């Protein structure tokens, strides 16, 4: 039991740390607070590659730091689109805001081949 | 060899050839090989290519038009370019690794699109392939004699040259947003993701014959040597058509790197992605082949479409009949006599007629078609217009010899493919 608790604590700390790396700024930190997350796309990955957010309104600021166009799609774990930025030109930053309940999601670029090339990462909302 | 270098045009032509040789040498293609390309593809294409190098306009000057809209200004510092060829805003609309041909720059130009104006749709940085180590590998359950060919071995096979168009499946995608108010994912092309070129290479059937294609072989899949390894399954039946080629020359030049050097597929009438660039492998199979490129991408997804087998929606294969005006968007003309020009194309055959309307589709007149009208390429068309000051929308509707016409509207699909409805090109006459 103790071992499980330690692992759970470690995972919580990891997600919190990743959230900071991702540029997550979360108001008071209470449930439902708005948060903002910075993400960079290149060929063919997201940076950071693990992201967590607090349940509530989440704003993704996505910068295309690559040479090809990308898009940014919040999906459920079955791959169904929830909301998307349909295209982000190289060098541009676009934002996407949506309300997310606690749970597991995916972030993806669904342009041809990009997801299979590595542009698919998990999003943990707590 | 002197051609009267004091004559400016001769001087420029001479320099253009030198630049051509220099570019070819960088690709590892010898001057002798380049001359062979010129012989194989005919002097006309070779000269067209040379002319394009120095910007020689062989026809009438374009009507006065507004300067091009500036390309989208990136907010981040400029990075290493994805492409090798120059893509100035005077010729292209910039989307990073994708570059849209500016239609106004084709006004009155020749039948083919010069290589330096040809649109680019690449998924990332152009790979630079070492010719010495490159091999075309043909394998799979559909052949009895798997084989590998070097570049020189491929070039020694009987060659074929055809004039055909290649077009991105998403050409016209921006109209889903502008007309239907539904933005599809991907490059927001207007209508410039198309080009016609003279392609020279080896018929795929020649290679499959040497690999002893098995009776009943179903699909083949070329795989690109780019970072994403683009791989689009294609039916063997399509592969055996006379104009399905493994291409190594484009408009009389070695295939430029951004267009697939050393070898790309030409699959006329099919969507652009089937014309796989930088081909390294050809898998031939007795069974249907699936890849993300015919199951999740290049399929029609939306409320009007249902999944089909392993694919998320109907698989997009054949293009659709379309037309475009050789004019900047929105257009601007001076009042007075004008000649409106454009091109129309169909994957199903020659263009039979092109109609235009200046009154939002209430009345239609027929445009005059050019003499060259090659199936799976295009036809140039034109009509005279005594333009009076005012704001107009020019509509153009093409019909091919099979009776296919551009529709008034199309249904939305999330990936934005096959928009071929009649578009209204805005023009201000002042």
């Amino acid at each position: 039991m103790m071992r499980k608790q330690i692992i759970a604590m470690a995972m919580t700390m990891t997600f919190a740390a990743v959230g900071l790396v991702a540029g997550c700024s979360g108001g008071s930190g209470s449930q439902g607070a708005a948060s903002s997350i910075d993400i960079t796309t290149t060929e063919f990955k997201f940076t950071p590659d693990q992201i967590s957010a607090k349940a509530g309104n989440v704003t993704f600021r996505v910068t295309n730091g690559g040479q090809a166009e990308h898009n940014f799609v919040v999906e459920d774990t079955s791959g169904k689109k929830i909301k998307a930025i349909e295209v982000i030109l190289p060098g541009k930053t676009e934002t996407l805001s949506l309300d997310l309940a606690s749970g597991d999601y995916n972030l993806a670029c669904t342009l041809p081949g990009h997801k299979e090339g590595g542009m698919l990462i998990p999003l943990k909302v707590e | 060899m002197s051609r009267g270098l004091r004559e400016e045009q001769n001087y420029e032509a001479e320099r253009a050839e030198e630049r051509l040789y220099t570019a070819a040498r960088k690709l590892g293609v010898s001057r002798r090989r380049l001359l062979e390309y010129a012989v194989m593809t005919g002097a006309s294409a070779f000269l067209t290519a040379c002319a394009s190098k120095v910007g020689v306009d062989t026809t009438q000057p374009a009507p006065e038009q507004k300067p091009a809209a500036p390309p989208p200004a990136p907010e981040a510092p400029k990075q290493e370019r994805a492409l090798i060829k120059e893509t100035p805003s005077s010729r292209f609309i910039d989307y990073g690794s994708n570059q849209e041909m500016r239609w106004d720059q084709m006004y009155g130009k020749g039948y083919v699109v010069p290589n330096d104006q040809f649109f680019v749709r690449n998924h990332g940085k152009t790979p630079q392939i070492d010719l010495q180590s490159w091999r075309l590998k043909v394998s799979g359950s559909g052949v009895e004699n798997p084989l590998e060919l070097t570049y020189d071995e491929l070039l020694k096979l009987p060659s074929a040259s055809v004039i055909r168009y290649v077009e991105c499946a998403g050409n016209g995608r921006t109209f889903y947003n502008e007309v239907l108010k539904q933005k599809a994912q991907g490059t927001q092309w207007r209508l410039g993701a198309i080009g016609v070129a003279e392609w020279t290479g080896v018929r795929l059937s020649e290679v499959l014959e040497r690999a002893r294609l098995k009776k009943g072989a179903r699909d083949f899949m070329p795989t690109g040597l780019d970072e994403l390894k683009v791989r689009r399954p294609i039916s063997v039946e399509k592969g055996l058509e006379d104009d399905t080629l493994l291409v190594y020359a484009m408009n009389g030049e070695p295939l430029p790197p951004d267009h697939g050097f050393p070898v790309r597929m030409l699959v006329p009438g099919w969507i652009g992605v089937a014309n796989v660039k930088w081909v390294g492998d050809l898998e031939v199979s007795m069974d249907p082949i699936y890849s993300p490129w015919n199951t999740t991408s290049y399929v029609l997804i939306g409320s009007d479409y249902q999944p089909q087998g392993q694919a998320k929606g109907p698989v997009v294969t054949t293009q659709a009949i379309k037309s475009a005006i050789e004019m900047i968007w929105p257009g601007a003309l001076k009042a007075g006599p004008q000649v409106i020009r454009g091109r129309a194309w169909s994957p199903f055959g020659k263009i039979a007629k092109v109609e235009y309307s200046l009154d939002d589709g209430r009345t239609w007149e027929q445009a005059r078609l050019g003499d060259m009208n090659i199936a799976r390429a295009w036809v140039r068309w034109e009509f005279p217009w005594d333009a009076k000051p005012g704001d107009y929308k020019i509509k153009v509707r093409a019909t091919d010899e099979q009776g296919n016409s551009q529709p008034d509207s199309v249904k939305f699909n999330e990936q934005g493919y096959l928009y071929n409805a009649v578009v209204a090109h805005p023009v201000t006459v002042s």
Side-chain angles (χ1 to χ4, degrees):
Chain A
M1 182 61 93
M2 180 63 78
R3 181 183 166 81
K4 279 185 180 175
Q5 285 175 343
I6 291 171
I7 290 172
M9 283 177 61
M11 285 182 71
T12 304
M13 291 171 68
T14 302
F15 277 120
V18 167
L20 287 172
V21 170
C24 177
S25 55
S28 66
S30 61
Q31 282 279 327
S35 58
S36 178
I37 297 173
D38 291 338
I39 299 174
T40 299
T41 65
T42 50
E43 288 78 50
F44 291 94
K45 64 180 181 182
F46 291 109
T47 305
D49 60 4
Q50 288 188 56
I51 294 173
S52 64
K54 290 176 179 169
N57 185 263
V58 181
T59 297
F60 296 96
R61 289 187 304 200
V62 188
T63 298
N64 185 347
Q67 299 164 332
E69 289 173 286
H70 294 290
N71 73 1
F72 180 78
V73 183
V74 180
E75 301 178 334
D76 66 19
T77 51
S78 72
K80 185 179 179 185
K81 180 170 81 174
I82 297 171
K83 200 167 182 184
I85 301 168
E86 302 298 356
V87 63
I88 311 167
L89 285 166
K92 293 288 187 183
T93 299
E94 306 283 353
T95 59
L96 176 71
S97 290
L98 74 170
D99 292 326
L100 291 172
S102 298
D104 293 321
Y105 301 86
N106 289 333
L107 303 177
C109 174
T110 59
L111 296 187
H114 291 204
K115 187 189 275 190
E116 295 77 15
M119 300 187 78
L120 174 67
I121 61 171
L123 167 67
K124 182 86 173 174
V125 177
E126 294 177 314
Chain B
M1 65 185 202
S2 172
R3 294 189 294 193
L5 293 183
R6 276 176 293 188
E7 301 267 346
E8 192 171 14
Q9 191 169 338
N10 289 349
Y11 179 89
E12 281 302 321
E14 196 85 5
R15 296 287 87 81
E17 286 188 21
E18 284 179 12
R19 287 196 289 273
L20 191 59
Y21 291 137
T22 303
R25 197 162 53 243
K26 284 180 183 170
L27 298 173
V29 176
S30 69
R31 185 181 178 111
R32 179 179 63 81
R33 183 67 75 198
L34 191 64
L35 289 170
E36 288 173 2
Y37 286 133
V39 171
M40 284 187 291
T41 58
S44 61
F46 185 66
L47 291 174
T48 300
C50 287
S52 72
K53 293 275 172 193
V54 293
V56 176
D57 187 353
T58 54
T59 56
Q60 300 175 37
E64 189 174 330
Q65 299 186 352
K66 278 184 182 172
E75 292 167 354
K78 277 268 180 187
Q79 294 205 339
E80 188 185 357
R81 295 181 73 245
L83 304 183
I84 291 172
K85 77 176 182 182
E86 294 300 316
T87 54
S89 60
S90 58
R91 294 198 291 264
F92 294 96
I93 300 163
D94 180 25
Y95 299 103
S97 62
N98 297 335
Q99 298 288 324
E100 179 170 2
M101 179 188 74
R102 277 184 47 169
W103 268 108
D104 58 301
Q105 295 302 305
M106 286 303 291
Y107 184 85
K109 291 278 181 70
Y111 192 81
V112 302
V113 179
N115 292 355
D116 62 2
Q117 282 183 258
F118 209 94
F119 87 100
V120 181
R121 195 283 181 251
N122 287 351
H123 295 270
K125 191 174 179 182
T126 296
Q128 305 222 36
I129 310 294
D130 172 26
L131 208 51
Q132 299 306 311
S133 59
W134 178 86
R135 298 287 185 276
L136 176 68
K137 299 169 185 169
V138 184
S139 62
S141 61
V143 294
E144 292 177 355
N145 179 41
L147 54 81
E148 289 190 12
L149 295 171
T150 66
Y151 187 66
D152 275 349
E153 287 169 340
L154 185 71
L155 264 60
K156 283 175 184 168
L157 298 180
S159 71
S161 289
V162 296
I163 296 176
R164 295 289 185 271
Y165 78 77
V166 171
E167 181 186 24
C168 176
N171 196 22
R173 179 179 286 124
T174 199
F175 294 110
Y176 283 113
N177 188 32
E178 292 186 6
V179 178
L180 300 183
K181 309 303 178 194
Q182 288 180 280
K183 192 167 187 176
Q185 70 171 42
T187 306
Q188 298 298 303
W189 308 108
R190 203 168 287 283
L191 284 168
I194 175 151
V196 166
E198 183 176 45
W199 309 97
T200 299
V202 176
R203 288 190 178 93
L204 181 65
S205 59
E206 292 273 1
V207 172
L208 294 182
E209 183 182 324
R210 282 161 178 77
R212 293 209 294 275
L213 179 69
K214 289 182 184 175
K215 189 177 179 182
R218 183 82 172 266
D219 284 352
F220 73 100
M221 182 168 71
T223 299
L225 296 170
D226 55 316
E227 190 176 349
L228 283 186
K229 295 188 169 25
V230 172
R231 48 203 185 281
R232 169 63 191 225
I234 301 167
S235 67
V236 166
E237 186 179 3
K238 179 65 180 174
L240 294 177
E241 287 189 356
D242 269 356
D243 56 359
T244 299
L245 305 183
L246 287 157
V247 166
Y248 49 74
M250 177 181 180
N251 289 330
E253 295 181 50
L255 195 58
D258 297 318
H259 296 283
F261 180 83
V263 171
R264 71 174 297 172
M265 292 299 309
L266 178 71
V267 189
W270 278 39
I271 57 172
V273 71
N275 300 262
V276 175
K277 298 175 177 178
W278 315 290
V279 173
D281 292 299
L282 274 177
E283 178 192 354
V284 188
S285 174
M286 297 299 288
D287 301 307
I289 304 177
Y290 299 98
S291 82
W293 309 84
N294 68 345
T295 54
T296 57
S297 296
Y298 301 98
V299 296
L300 300 176
I301 300 173
S303 57
D304 293 302
Y305 304 100
Q306 296 299 317
Q308 292 193 348
Q310 298 190 32
K312 288 184 173 178
V315 181
V316 183
T317 53
T318 308
Q319 291 282 9
I321 183 171
K322 294 183 194 176
S323 59
I325 301 176
E326 294 167 3
M327 185 185 289
I328 202 164
W329 187 292
L333 296 174
K334 280 190 171 176
Q338 298 284 355
V339 177
I340 306 301
R341 292 192 169 108
R343 301 172 194 235
W345 58 97
S346 168
F348 306 110
K350 295 179 182 178
I351 296 297
K353 67 175 176 182
V354 172
E355 301 162 287
Y356 66 93
S357 174
L358 300 169
D359 56 10
D360 202 28
R362 284 189 291 276
T363 60
W364 295 84
E365 301 284 339
Q366 282 207 31
R368 191 184 74 79
L369 303 188
D371 292 336
M372 280 187 79
N373 189 351
I374 299 173
R376 295 171 179 171
W378 56 24
V379 69
R380 288 174 289 179
W381 55 262
E382 64 179 32
F383 65 86
W385 184 29
D386 187 12
K388 303 283 193 293
D391 291 325
Y392 299 85
K393 288 188 174 173
I394 303 178
K395 288 187 170 181
V396 177
R397 181 172 63 200
T399 301
D400 68 23
E401 60 186 351
Q402 303 292 325
N404 303 293
S405 285
Q406 290 183 258
D408 291 332
S409 63
V410 294
K411 293 173 182 172
F412 177 76
N413 66 89
E414 290 183 6
Q415 296 177 353
Y417 299 131
L418 301 181
Y419 191 96
N420 77 323
V422 170
V423 301
H425 195 130
V427 183
T428 297
V429 178
S430 56

